[in-house]
Amino acid sequence: MITATGIVAEYNPFHNGHLYQLQEAKRLTQQPIMVIMSASFMQRGEPACLSKWERARLAVANGAALVLELPTNFSLRSAQFFASGAVQLMQATGCVSCLACGVESPERDFWALAQNIMSDASQSHIKKLLSQGKSYAVACATVLAEADNLSHDSATSAALTKPNDILALEYAKALVHTDIKPYFIKRLGDDYNERSISGTMASATAIRQALASEREAYHAPASVTNAHQADPGANAFSWRQAVPANVRQSLLANSPGYDLALLWQLLRYRLRLLCPEDIAERCQCSEGLENLLKQAAGCASWQEALACCTNKRYTTSRIRRLFMQLLLDLPRWRWEENAPAYLRVLAFDDTGRQLLKQMKSAATLPLITGLNRNWTQRLGHLGLRQRQIYIQQLEMELQATELWSLLQLNPALNRTGNDLLNSPSYVK
């Protein structure tokens, strides 16, 4: 039996840092890599720059054996549920023995931190801090610091503030009651949120920003641009250096990005229609946050709306996720389902094909290798409750893909039915 190492990723887009992590995970575990990847929307609350099928294909082309979809009702939620959903999917495959994740602070003992934070005493303390208005991240940092008898200043410096460190703790928590072993790999290159490119290791944020700037330069009137600005090779440290060659080709060919102006118009329309009570029934807001979201209806732009709602308690990523949840216009309880209902294949190679063959007998969730318009008629083998959750989660996924498609700049992708028209990629 083949066992795999799992990686949870978004690949938005796949870059040299991802390539290093994938190769290092293979070296450490001597196993093929199975990726659980966010679908059309990212955990930071933004549409993906490329389709999930293309991002999955590129992941396999760069060394992954198999890519499975992380459903939207996990990718558009906090780090705790993002990590929990991904780990549950890995466990459900019956083929994953290790999880590899990138961290900024490999010297931290994430496994010990997870066991500490999950104790009854720590959980009770966290609930108390949440009731006092603290954010979940601040509450966890406070509890961990107090357990180590740290002073206030030391607690601040010891807190997990880097995105990948925070996710690593959530992965470790999700793994506590499994037999999957974690590997924490030092993240190389620029900071997660770094917006400049200074070499071959750049953040996905910087790459996306460079792509957007390049697109704007090409479409700017001749009077406000010049040959230097329009020349993709003018910057000595272009985004082109920070991604593998096949990713570079894909980004140049697929008009990556989304229509932010259209996204804002759609959101403003929803916010104007909904009263605060309606908002609270359609997204995971709390403590009166629905009133703050409603105020964004009077803003002039997406950026202004984010600034209006973001503060020390509510991060920009959380606000973006809530905005995306509102656009999908589903009951709040649909966002509170905590167990995935299926395993959906996006791309694979020959080793991935062997893993899929094993999963047909080893997996504890239904395996989806393709969809057509009659997909709801082939669920007779599932129990009633399992069938209901399966349909609900997959319907949400189809709606998310329709929204993503509507926002695309590439006319070939701006069509209805992408979830039914695309099949998993086999990469030789």
Side-chain angles (χ1 to χ4, degrees), residues 129-130 133-144 159-160 312-313:
L129 292 170
L130 291 174
K134 304 290 186 182
S135 70
Y136 180 75
V138 169
C140 288
T142 301
V143 168
L144 291 173
L160 296 177
K312 290 183 179 180
R313 187 171 183 182

Side-chain angles (χ1 to χ4, degrees), residues 9 21 36 155 177 220-221 244 273 311 320-321 324 337 373 383:
Q21 182 201 23
I36 307 296
H177 299 300
L273 285 185
N311 53 43
R320 282 194 296 250
R321 287 195 297 269
M324 294 303 112
E337 177 60 54
R373 298 188 184 280

Side-chain angles (χ1 to χ4, degrees), residues 46-277:
E46 292 180 337
C49 67
L50 293 171
S51 78
K52 57 189 175 185
W53 300 279
E54 179 64 5
R55 285 161 37 238
R57 183 190 69 80
L58 290 169
V60 174
N62 282 286
L66 175 64
V67 180
L68 302 179
E69 176 180 272
L70 179 65
T72 296
N73 68 323
F74 294 101
S75 68
L76 273 181
R77 291 169 72 183
S78 68
Q80 178 183 5
F81 297 101
F82 176 91
S84 173
V87 168
Q88 288 181 75
L89 287 172
M90 288 183 192
Q91 195 170 20
T93 67
C95 300
V96 175
S97 63
C98 305
L99 181 150
C101 63
V103 296
E104 286 90 359
S105 309
E107 70 280 1
R108 305 296 291 268
D109 188 343
F110 293 97
W111 193 246
L113 292 175
Q115 292 173 317
N116 186 326
I117 207 76
M118 292 182 70
S119 69
D120 291 341
S122 292
Q123 288 297 305
S124 177
H125 196 177
I126 288 172
K127 289 180 181 179
K128 180 179 179 181
L129 292 170
L130 291 174
S131 70
Q132 296 172 359
K134 304 290 186 182
S135 70
Y136 180 75
V138 169
C140 288
T142 301
V143 168
L144 291 173
E146 290 179 0
D148 290 335
N149 295 315
L150 296 177
S151 66
H152 175 74
D153 291 341
S154 297
T156 300
S157 63
L160 296 177
T161 57
K162 299 292 186 179
N164 288 290
D165 285 352
I166 293 170
L167 267 175
L169 176 59
E170 294 301 334
Y171 293 138
K173 286 166 57 181
L175 291 174
V176 165
H177 299 300
T178 76
D179 56 1
I180 299 175
K181 178 182 179 181
Y183 282 85
F184 302 107
I185 300 172
K186 170 67 176 175
R187 185 181 183 277
L188 298 184
D190 293 335
D191 185 78
Y192 177 86
N193 290 313
E194 176 59 52
R195 293 180 175 272
S196 63
I197 299 176
S198 57
T200 59
M201 290 284 190
S203 72
T205 300
I207 294 169
R208 290 194 303 274
Q209 181 173 283
L211 284 164
S213 297
E214 189 173 288
R215 183 172 63 247
E216 290 171 4
Y218 272 117
H219 289 88
S223 61
V224 296
T225 189
N226 56 45
H228 178 77
Q229 290 173 317
D231 179 10
N235 183 354
F237 294 109
S238 163
W239 64 266
R240 289 163 173 75
Q241 294 177 256
V243 300
N246 52 8
V247 177
R248 180 166 63 249
Q249 293 168 1
S250 177
L251 290 170
L252 291 170
N254 284 291
S255 303
Y258 57 93
D259 189 334
L260 182 59
L262 176 58
L263 176 61
W264 168 239
Q265 291 301 322
L266 294 172
L267 176 63
R268 183 162 58 170
Y269 171 72
R270 294 301 306 154
L271 290 172
R272 288 185 176 185
L273 285 185
L274 301 174
C275 65
E277 292 76 16

Side-chain angles (χ1 to χ4, degrees), residues 366 374-383 387-388 390-391 394:
N374 300 318
W375 64 269
T376 58
Q377 299 176 14
R378 300 181 179 182
L379 306 177
H381 60 292
L382 302 179
R387 184 162 63 249
Q388 289 175 334
Y390 180 104
I391 290 174
L394 203 44

